[in-house]
Amino acid sequence: MPADESKCVLDAYLSYRHRSVDLAASIVGCRAQAEDLVHDAFVKIALTHRPELEIRHPLAYFLQVVRRLAIDTMRQRNIRKTSDIADQGLEILLADPLTPELHTSGREELDAVEQALAALPARTRRAFEMKRFEGLKLREIAIALDISVVRASQLINDALLACQNVLDSADPRT
């Protein structure tokens, strides 16, 4: 990055840091995390900017990078949250039932989940199996299925959603 462009981005970072943190905090809901995101945005720009590209509006550019990093952080948080909920649901399903009624109910729910998984496209089902039953990481699944890590996560979330939908429709309390 030419010295004058790096100075413009640095000036935007220093002069509008508070505004940038406010923007990130409004998205992620945590001021401390927002501070980290603003710093990460500056580092990202400093390390990845190509000299042949001119930054005409350094403040707008910087705020856009902050905004995108904050949104990506929220997406990752939502993916982890969905996975945690699904893990809890599967643990409950696989727990040792205490009564014959619970055993029957649990068996019916497990059958419904098996049917939901069987109805999924093969790649979606395989990604889910690799994650839940084989314990592979998203990166390993992505490599095995020749897809991106984000797509692997989407496939797993699709499978989890299908399982959750079938359980919700079978639950008389909902």
Side-chain angles (χ1 to χ4, degrees):
M1 178 180 324
D4 58 337
E5 285 186 20
S6 63
K7 179 157 177 32
C8 291
V9 174
L10 177 62
D11 289 343
Y13 170 71
L14 294 174
S15 300
Y16 295 97
R17 193 178 134 293
H18 184 72
R19 179 176 170 188
S20 304
V21 171
D22 288 344
L23 171 67
S26 72
I27 296 170
V28 298
C30 173
R31 193 140 187 94
Q33 190 174 23
E35 293 272 358
D36 290 342
L37 286 171
V38 169
H39 180 262
D40 290 349
F42 175 73
V43 171
K44 182 176 181 165
I45 292 170
L47 294 177
T48 62
H49 181 69
R50 295 190 315 235
E52 65 273 9
L53 298 178
E54 177 185 346
I55 299 175
R56 293 186 183 167
H57 305 285
L59 176 60
Y61 181 75
F62 182 68
L63 290 174
Q64 184 67 10
V65 172
V66 169
R67 183 180 155 280
R68 287 184 178 166
L69 283 176
I71 290 170
D72 288 346
T73 298
M74 290 304 298
R75 285 183 182 143
Q76 289 299 319
R77 185 184 298 168
N78 289 338
I79 289 170
R80 279 188 237 113
K81 183 178 175 183
T82 302
S83 297
D84 291 344
I85 291 169
D87 287 339
Q88 291 170 1
L90 286 175
E91 286 175 18
I92 291 169
L93 281 176
L94 299 175
D96 191 26
L98 301 175
T99 66
E101 292 83 13
L102 286 176
H103 176 71
T104 301
S105 173
R107 186 67 224 164
E108 289 171 356
E109 288 177 342
L110 191 54
D111 288 342
V113 167
E114 286 175 352
Q115 289 175 3
L117 290 174
L120 292 172
R123 189 168 65 168
T124 303
R125 183 176 55 254
R126 183 66 186 128
F128 178 82
E129 291 168 349
M130 293 169 83
K131 177 69 175 165
R132 297 294 168 205
F133 303 134
E134 298 173 26
L136 297 179
K137 296 181 181 196
L138 287 175
R139 185 178 312 240
E140 296 167 326
I141 295 167
I143 291 169
L145 298 178
D146 194 29
I147 56 177
S148 70
V149 173
V150 171
R151 183 66 182 137
S153 177
Q154 289 171 340
L155 292 175
I156 292 165
N157 284 335
D158 289 348
L160 291 171
L161 185 60
C163 292
Q164 186 64 53
N165 287 340
V166 76
L167 290 174
D168 287 345
S169 66
D171 188 359
R173 295 173 290 179
T174 57

